[in-house]
């Protein structure tokens, strides 16, 4: 083993409880380059942990109830700013989280001698966002003598339930420490840009793109042909909020399909947006928390015929349909004569007799291939924009292109958008022996709501191209694809760090740093002694070193190897905390919601 590797291993073993955030850049640079291996200064009681000696906490008298309760938040080792104002309620704290307008809300509730801290993240209603973070909770009877009493990985998102901490009566001070793993924030479009005006019954209007609506809906395509640019389309008496919910599925917003299910279904069916109908149907089919007969009723009521067909066919193949009928289920009364005749019966026949000559389902997902962006029909479609790459024309829906980019590319005399070929993309494709046009084609197709993802082999050049074209949402999507790659060697870790630095991929850098302290620790030890790692900027290397040396996420449980928890009710006490421990580590039928696994046929009934 070389002296360089020996020094690094010694350093990593000795610095198990200190954090690189406490040191100046010069000192960290010395450690990274091996110029200095002097130990970090001891931090309060942490040196006792190195020797195995128990940590001694000075005893303090129990503070009287009148002592103010203190809450603080640290994000990546830095104090988060607490929001202040005259309208702040007592025992309520809000901290900016550095992600859009998302704040961490902490509320202390006291009732019948019991106290709870109710913790959640809050953002504006016109946005989609989420944060996956490692979190440690320090607690104590004052700002001093606080220790870590709980730790886990949490998902903070718009639709997640809050965390409830039950407090021991001695706890008077709590500090939340967070290190983000993954995050995103997308503000909803304002709908003040577009070439068509949509008017509702209340007289309100919004703007959107004719090409976007035409691509999504055959019905809207006919309406748009009759509408001039900046023309008005009256959709009254249809509800504005439901129509906006539909648009949020067509724009790149990351809006969940279940966020506002029934209004979205009404809009998708009314305007014949088939891809959204299929996605709604898929969600309902796989939502096993509701009994089958209830899902069938909802699907029929919402005219989600693909969901009805799929659930009936599956039930018929497993003989569950027969059991339901024997237990008194009446499909005609439940779903109506029309649905029973045209959807239920054909699905049962298909399942029982597998006859391939049966008519197709009432609705099916629209078929489209990436090659369609090069076809003659695409060239003739006035709703498409011609994009010229190295003399090759690609035809992309104007509305989809507008929702992803401002369209700031130069236009030639024929009205074609001319896109450059960046040097790094060219070199990547040459090294991989992949045509540049193929990368560009898959990237463009992935922008469509019904388009497929970029293939794994093309993620890196597609990411580089999306970055240069300022396709922000495409970059974020491709970054997540890189994060999901299984890491098998030190070279791949360095590659991820290089990509994160070059294309400003914050989430990829965070995830790689987390892997460095957990599952990929040995591989990262090999990576940090390579010249390629030394060539990275200090801003990239610093969080990796911190993760490997600080021991911040170590202990029980070790946060680096955990998935986000679903245990949202926890406790905090001077002696420890966390979720309540199960009576046994062995899973039994008592710990399973059996009604989600087995249908209870004797309870099936149909309400009038």
């Amino acid at each position: 083993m070389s002296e360089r590797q020996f020094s690094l291993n010694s350093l990593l073993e000795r610095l198990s409880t200190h954090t690189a955030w406490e040191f100046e850049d010069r000192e960290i640079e010395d450690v990274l380059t091996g110029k200095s291996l002097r130990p970090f200064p001891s931090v309060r009681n942490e040196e006792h942990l190195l020797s195995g000696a128990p940590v001694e906490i000075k005893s303090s008298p129990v503070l009287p109830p009148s002592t103010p309760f203190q809450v603080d938040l640290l994000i990546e080792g830095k104090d988060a700013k607490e929001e202040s104002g005259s309208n702040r309620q007592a025992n309520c704290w809000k901290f900016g989280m550095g992600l859009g307008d998302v704040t961490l809300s902490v509320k202390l509730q006291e009732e019948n001698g019991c106290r709870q801290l109710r913790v959640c993240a809050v953002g504006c209603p016109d946005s989609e966002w989420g944060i996956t973070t490692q979190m440690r909770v320090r607690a104590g009877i004052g700002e001093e003598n606080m220790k870590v009493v709980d730790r886990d990985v949490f998902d903070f998102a718009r639709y997640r339930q809050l965390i409830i901490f039950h407090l021991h009566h001695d706890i008077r001070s709590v500090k939340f420490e967070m290190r983000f793993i993954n995050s995103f924030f997308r503000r909803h479009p304002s709908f003040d840009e577009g070439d068509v005006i949509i008017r509702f019954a209340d007289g309100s209007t919004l703007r959107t793109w004719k090409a976007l609506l035409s691509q999504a809906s055959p019905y809207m395509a006919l309406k748009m042909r009759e509408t001039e640019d900046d023309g008005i389309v009256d959709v009254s008496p249809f509800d504005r909020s439901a129509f906006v919910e539909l648009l949020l599925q067509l724009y790149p917003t990351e809006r969940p399909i279940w966020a506002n299910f029934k209004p979205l279904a009404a809009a998708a069916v009314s305007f014949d947006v088939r891809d959204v109908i299929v996605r709604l149907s898929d969600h309902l089919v796989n939502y096993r928390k509701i009994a089958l007969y209830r899902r069938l009723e909802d699907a029929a009521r919402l005219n989600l015929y693909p969901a009805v067909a799929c659930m009936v066919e599956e039930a018929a193949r497993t003989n569950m349909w027969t059991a339901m009928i024997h237990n008194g289920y009446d499909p005609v009364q439940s779903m109506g004569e029309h649905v029973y005749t045209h959807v239920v019966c054909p699905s049962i026949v298909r399942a029982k007799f597998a006859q391939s000559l049966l008519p197709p389902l009432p609705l099916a997902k629209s078929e489209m291939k990436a090659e369609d962006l090069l076809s003659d029909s695409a060239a003739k479609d006035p709703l498409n924009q011609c994009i010229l790459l190295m003399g090759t024309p690609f035809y992309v829906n104007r509305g989809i292109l507008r929702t992803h980019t401002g369209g700031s590319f130069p236009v030639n005399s024929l009205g074609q958008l001319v896109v450059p070929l960046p040097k790094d993309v060219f070199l990547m494709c040459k090294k991989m022996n992949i045509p540049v046009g193929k990368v560009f084609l898959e990237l463009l197709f992935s922008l469509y709501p019904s388009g497929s993802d970029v293939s794994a082999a093309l993620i890196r050049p597609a990411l580089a191209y999306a970055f240069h074209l300022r396709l922000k949402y495409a970059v974020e999507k491709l970054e997540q694809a890189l994060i999901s790659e299984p890491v098998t060697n030190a070279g791949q870790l360095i590659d991820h760090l290089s990509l994160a630095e070059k294309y400003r991929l914050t989430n990829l850098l965070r995830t790689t740093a987390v892997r460095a302290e957990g599952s990929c620790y040995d591989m990262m030890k090999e990576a940090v002694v390579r010249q390629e790692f030394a060539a990275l900027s200090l801003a990239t290397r610093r969080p990796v070193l911190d993760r490997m040396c600080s021991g911040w996420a170590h202990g029980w449980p070790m946060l680096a190897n955990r998935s986000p928890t679903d245990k949202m009710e926890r406790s905090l006490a001077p002696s420890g905390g966390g979720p309540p421990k199960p009576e046994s580590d062995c899973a039994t039928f008592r710990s399973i919601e059996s009604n989600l696994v087995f249908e209870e046929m004797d309870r099936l009934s149909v309400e009038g």
Side-chain angles (χ1 to χ4, degrees):
M1 180 180 293
S2 68
E3 182 180 351
R4 174 81 176 88
Q5 291 174 320
F6 176 80
S7 300
L8 178 67
N9 290 339
S10 300
L11 175 69
L12 296 178
E13 290 174 3
R14 293 171 64 187
L15 308 181
S16 60
T17 61
H18 303 285
T19 171
W21 296 108
E22 301 170 23
F23 303 93
E24 299 295 332
D25 289 351
R26 186 70 260 165
E27 293 180 277
I28 296 174
E29 180 70 18
D30 289 344
V31 174
L32 286 167
T33 58
K35 295 178 182 177
S36 170
L37 293 177
R38 58 183 184 275
F40 292 160
S42 66
V43 183
R44 294 189 299 275
N45 294 315
E46 263 82 315
E47 57 188 6
H48 294 279
L49 297 177
L50 291 174
S51 62
V55 178
E56 180 182 356
I57 299 179
K58 297 180 180 179
S59 60
S60 299
V62 176
L63 301 183
S66 59
T67 303
F69 198 92
Q70 179 67 33
V71 175
D72 294 295
L73 171 64
L74 275 74
I75 298 179
E76 304 295 349
K78 300 177 182 179
D79 288 311
K81 183 178 180 181
E82 182 181 354
E83 294 187 353
S84 59
S86 58
N87 58 346
R88 173 184 163 180
Q89 299 179 1
N91 292 331
C92 290
W93 298 264
K94 286 189 177 182
F95 303 91
M97 301 187 74
L99 182 72
D101 59 2
V102 179
T103 60
L104 184 74
S105 173
V106 183
K107 185 175 183 180
L108 175 65
Q109 288 191 347
E110 302 185 66
E111 186 175 351
N112 298 327
C114 299
R115 299 184 303 161
Q116 295 179 350
L117 270 187
R118 305 173 74 86
V119 181
C120 65
V122 180
C124 70
D126 296 330
S127 63
E128 303 298 325
W129 51 271
I131 300 172
T132 301
T133 181
Q134 297 172 330
M135 186 168 80
R136 303 194 317 181
V137 186
R138 290 181 178 269
I141 59 177
E143 292 187 30
E144 297 182 356
N145 300 328
M146 297 176 67
K147 68 175 184 177
V148 176
V149 296
D150 191 13
R151 64 175 76 210
D152 218 323
V153 176
F154 294 89
D155 262 340
F156 290 97
R158 179 177 174 183
Y159 309 99
R160 293 283 291 183
Q161 66 193 85
L162 52 79
I163 310 170
I164 299 176
F165 292 99
H166 298 275
L167 298 179
H168 187 274
H169 59 81
D170 287 339
I171 297 295
R172 308 300 302 177
S173 185
V174 175
K175 180 176 290 186
F176 300 98
E177 301 177 350
M178 292 186 182
R179 292 193 174 184
F180 291 175
I181 302 174
N182 211 331
S183 65
F184 78 93
F185 180 86
R186 293 194 183 180
R187 199 173 296 279
H188 290 173
S190 57
F191 301 116
D192 55 5
E193 293 184 352
D195 54 8
V196 65
I197 300 171
I198 306 297
R199 185 168 60 195
F200 303 94
D202 60 0
S204 63
T205 61
L206 60 78
R207 279 185 173 269
T208 186
W209 303 99
K210 292 195 295 183
L212 182 71
L213 296 177
S214 299
Q215 193 275 333
S217 162
Y219 168 78
M220 293 302 290
L222 293 175
K223 296 281 288 185
M224 293 304 107
R225 289 176 190 173
E226 304 167 357
T227 307
E228 299 179 354
D229 287 350
D230 294 326
I232 299 176
V233 175
D234 195 319
V235 297
S236 58
F238 203 78
D239 182 65
R240 177 193 176 97
S241 62
F243 193 87
V244 168
E245 191 68 38
L246 178 62
L247 289 179
L248 292 178
Q249 296 297 324
L250 303 181
Y251 282 67
T253 61
E254 292 295 324
R255 177 78 161 178
I257 196 71
W258 42 261
N260 203 0
F261 195 86
K262 291 184 178 180
L264 175 60
V269 171
S270 298
F271 294 100
D272 194 21
V273 183
R274 301 185 180 182
D275 289 343
V276 175
I277 291 174
V278 172
R279 289 173 56 206
L280 287 163
S281 299
D282 287 342
H283 177 75
L284 193 55
V285 167
N286 294 302
Y287 194 71
R288 307 287 177 165
K289 293 183 179 180
I290 300 178
L292 175 61
Y293 77 99
R294 292 293 189 194
R295 284 181 284 147
L296 285 170
E297 290 176 359
D298 287 341
R301 189 179 301 113
L302 297 172
N303 296 319
L304 296 176
Y305 298 146
V308 175
C310 182
M311 289 187 285
V312 168
E313 187 169 340
E314 180 183 353
R317 291 184 187 280
T318 59
N319 293 322
M320 183 178 289
W321 183 262
T322 301
M324 290 171 63
I325 299 299
H326 287 174
N327 280 275
Y329 179 64
D330 186 344
V332 176
Q333 183 180 355
S334 175
M335 292 180 280
E337 179 101 25
H338 175 80
V339 175
Y340 178 75
T341 302
H342 295 282
V343 183
V344 174
C345 289
S347 299
I348 294 175
V349 172
R350 183 180 289 105
K352 293 293 187 181
F353 307 108
Q355 295 185 12
S356 59
L357 298 179
L358 290 174
L361 295 177
L363 292 173
K365 190 174 182 179
S366 58
E367 292 293 334
M368 184 179 177
K369 299 179 181 178
E371 291 74 13
D372 293 340
L373 305 185
L374 300 169
S375 65
D376 292 337
S377 60
K380 297 175 182 178
D381 191 339
L383 298 175
N384 287 340
Q385 171 66 57
C386 178
I387 302 179
L388 208 61
L389 171 67
M390 300 171 62
T392 302
F394 298 80
Y395 303 97
V396 185
N397 182 276
R398 293 177 187 271
I400 290 175
L401 192 63
R402 288 287 186 173
T403 62
H404 284 271
T405 177
S408 57
F409 308 115
V411 180
N412 62 17
S413 58
L414 299 177
Q416 300 166 323
L417 295 180
V418 183
V419 296
L421 176 58
K423 183 178 179 180
D424 54 343
V425 177
F426 172 76
L427 293 177
M428 279 188 194
C429 292
K430 183 178 180 180
K431 182 179 180 180
M432 300 169 66
N433 195 26
I434 296 173
V436 175
K438 180 175 177 60
V439 175
F440 191 61
L441 181 63
E442 288 204 16
L443 174 60
L444 292 177
F445 189 58
S446 69
L447 305 182
Y448 282 70
S450 58
S452 56
D453 294 337
V454 174
S455 55
L458 305 184
I459 288 175
R460 284 163 175 78
L463 170 67
Y465 224 145
F467 176 81
H468 288 293
L469 296 178
R470 299 180 182 178
L471 300 175
K472 178 176 180 289
Y473 305 127
V475 169
E476 292 177 358
K477 188 175 181 179
L478 291 166
E479 179 187 23
Q480 295 302 318
L482 277 177
I483 289 173
S484 65
E485 280 187 348
V487 179
T488 58
N489 55 69
Q492 193 175 1
L493 288 173
I494 293 178
D495 176 58
H496 281 187
L497 292 173
S498 300
L499 291 170
E501 179 176 305
K502 188 170 186 177
Y503 302 115
R504 305 169 194 169
L505 308 177
T506 305
N507 286 321
L508 182 61
L509 176 59
R510 290 169 176 164
T511 305
T512 307
V514 170
R515 287 169 173 163
E517 68 179 341
S519 59
C520 298
Y521 180 80
D522 291 332
M523 283 186 280
M524 189 58 82
K525 281 171 56 177
E526 178 186 341
V528 296
V529 299
R530 295 189 180 183
Q531 292 183 350
E532 300 96 314
F533 184 82
L536 297 171
S537 69
L538 179 61
T540 300
R541 289 178 289 161
R542 179 172 181 160
V544 174
L545 176 72
D546 178 59
R547 289 286 188 169
M548 297 181 73
C549 298
S550 71
W552 185 91
H554 293 180
W556 181 256
M558 183 175 176
L559 301 184
N561 298 327
R562 288 182 68 80
S563 299
T565 183
D566 60 355
K567 295 178 173 61
M568 297 301 175
E569 192 155 357
R570 312 170 78 89
S571 63
L572 297 179
S575 58
K581 296 181 180 179
E583 294 181 2
S584 172
D585 293 334
C586 301
T588 66
F589 284 115
R590 289 189 304 169
S591 64
I592 300 174
E593 294 185 50
S594 59
N595 62 312
L596 304 184
V597 182
F598 305 103
E599 294 285 352
E600 299 181 25
M601 293 301 171
D602 58 332
R603 296 185 62 183
L604 285 177
S605 63
V606 179
E607 297 179 0

